[in-house]
Amino acid sequence: MSESRTRPIPARPACDGRAQDDLDALVALLAVNAAGVDRTACFPEENLAALRSAGYLGFLIPRRYGGMGRDLADLVTVAQRLAGACLSTAMIWAMHCQQADVLVRHAGPRLAAELLPRVAAGEVYLASVTTGTVTGGHLLSAADALERGIEEEILLRREAPVVTGGEHADGFLITMRDTAHADGHAVSLVYADRDALTVEATGGWNTLGMRGTASGALKLSGAVPPDQVVGPPGGFREVALDSMIPVGHLAWSACWLGAARSSFSALLRWLSREQRERLSSPLVHERLGRIRLDLELVSGYLGGVRQEVERVRADRSRPDSAEVQIHLNSLKTAASELTYQAVDRMVQLAGLAVGYGTDSPVPLERTLRDLRSAALNYSNDRLWTANGALCLLDRGVTLL
Ligand SMILES: Cc1cc2nc3c(=O)[nH]c(=O)nc-3n(C[C@H](O)[C@H](O)[C@H](O)COP(=O)(O)OP(=O)(O)OC[C@H]3O[C@@H](n4cnc5c(N)ncnc54)[C@H](O)[C@@H]3O)c2cc1C
């Protein structure tokens, strides 16, 4: 879909005119490249280069390190706009920002001083390695263990079955079991520059959707200094609850919403232009109303959870409280299901040629395939069962 047909999400006051122009140009580039990225299942190198040169890899890096110093509200706004053009690229960027937030909040002083200016300058695109061949998607466990070398350096060897942009990344945040004798839940998060690692591609990425994320399998091995453990050794849970989970769920949900919203806008324009005779149909109105409701609910809940995360951060209150966890997990499950449902409804409303066709002027078919990944990208099954257990700890039912 051409971005010129999509009404832009308004800039927040923090955006100056130059920043808005940069964002408009990025969105236009992503929109032009989106179909090719999907068709070829190739990593969107041109899009990443443009994000680098516009300073967008430093989006969440504080200004004192040379970054853009933007906040979570900006993150969800911009993620929506980028995703309205190309969901693969938006998720690549969103996951990079998630890793950047982890480093800002938890890297030790030497690592922060050396690495954050490089991220801000666009030199370091960050990939995430949390999924394991043994542990699957379970975030808070790891099987591959760290070893300590004779000069105190940390040695790592990691099988990584799914790494978005792994072959293009300049740095990796990797979960590892803290020692060979440690319990699988004693997980350490380690930062490694690509130059410190041998990176071997062990599996490709040829999927139904999200084809441009190039999330193939890697085998990583190398050595890093001991102060490149991010957060407490064996204490990744703290980092995950404070940063990786909240920023991940906010940013992913924003991406999915942006993709569905942009498709809806394109569909409404197509209906108004090409299907005028259907515009008075009560059936069409009912279907439009239901799609709109799905998007309204995700948007409202996204805003509410974002404010709650900001409050937790401002008050330094506990990010691991049952209700905060329930709200974060509910956001991810609701956004993944409702945005997919909304686009599925759009396919039905548009009909065979425009709804289901690959050459349609409204790319619903691609968006539907892309959004089918949302419930898998950190399995909703894990979040439903986690939320059920957490409900038993919040008997007062603290709703958002
Ligand atoms: C587009 C995309 C990008 C990704 N990028 C990355 C990345 O950059 N880095 C990374 O590390 N990972 C990445 N992942 C992987 C992701 O984080 C998850 O680990 C992965 O999608 C989970 O795979 P799975 O469906 O096999 O589920 P898993 O969580 O591995 O679970 C395995 C199976 O167990 C089932 N299950 C779960 N809970 C229960 C239960 N309570 N009872 C019974 N069965 C259960 C699940 O339904 C599933 O079928 C990405 C995934 C996608 C789709």
Side-chain angles (χ1 to χ4, degrees), residues 1-78:
M1 164 204 28
S2 139
E3 172 56 23
S4 60
R5 283 188 275 133
T6 307
R7 184 164 149 261
I9 294 165
R12 298 177 70 245
C15 294
D16 58 22
R18 164 84 201 285
Q20 191 58 38
D21 290 349
D22 283 351
L23 180 57
D24 290 344
L26 283 168
V27 169
L29 176 72
L30 268 55
V32 167
N33 288 338
V37 162
D38 173 62
R39 190 175 55 252
T40 57
C42 285
F43 187 81
E45 291 187 51
E46 187 186 6
N47 297 350
L48 180 66
L51 288 162
R52 282 186 201 269
S53 60
Y56 272 63
L57 297 196
F59 195 81
L60 291 183
I61 306 291
R63 286 176 188 269
R64 67 181 181 281
Y65 295 110
M68 291 172 83
R70 306 289 281 272
D71 60 17
L72 295 178
D74 296 326
L75 180 73
V76 299
T77 302
V78 170

Side-chain angles (χ1 to χ4, degrees), residues 298-349:
V298 175
S299 179
Y301 203 73
L302 173 64
V305 174
R306 193 254 302 158
Q307 284 170 355
E308 181 164 69
V309 172
E310 287 168 346
R311 248 189 335 267
V312 166
R313 288 185 166 192
D315 303 348
R316 296 177 189 274
S317 51
R318 297 190 55 165
D320 61 345
S321 68
E323 69 267 21
V324 172
Q325 291 305 301
I326 290 170
H327 299 156
L328 282 165
N329 293 344
S330 299
L331 171 64
K332 195 273 169 181
T333 46
S336 57
E337 293 196 352
L338 291 177
T339 56
Y340 178 76
Q341 173 174 284
V343 176
D344 193 34
R345 290 185 200 274
M346 291 180 218
V347 169
Q348 187 69 26
L349 176 54

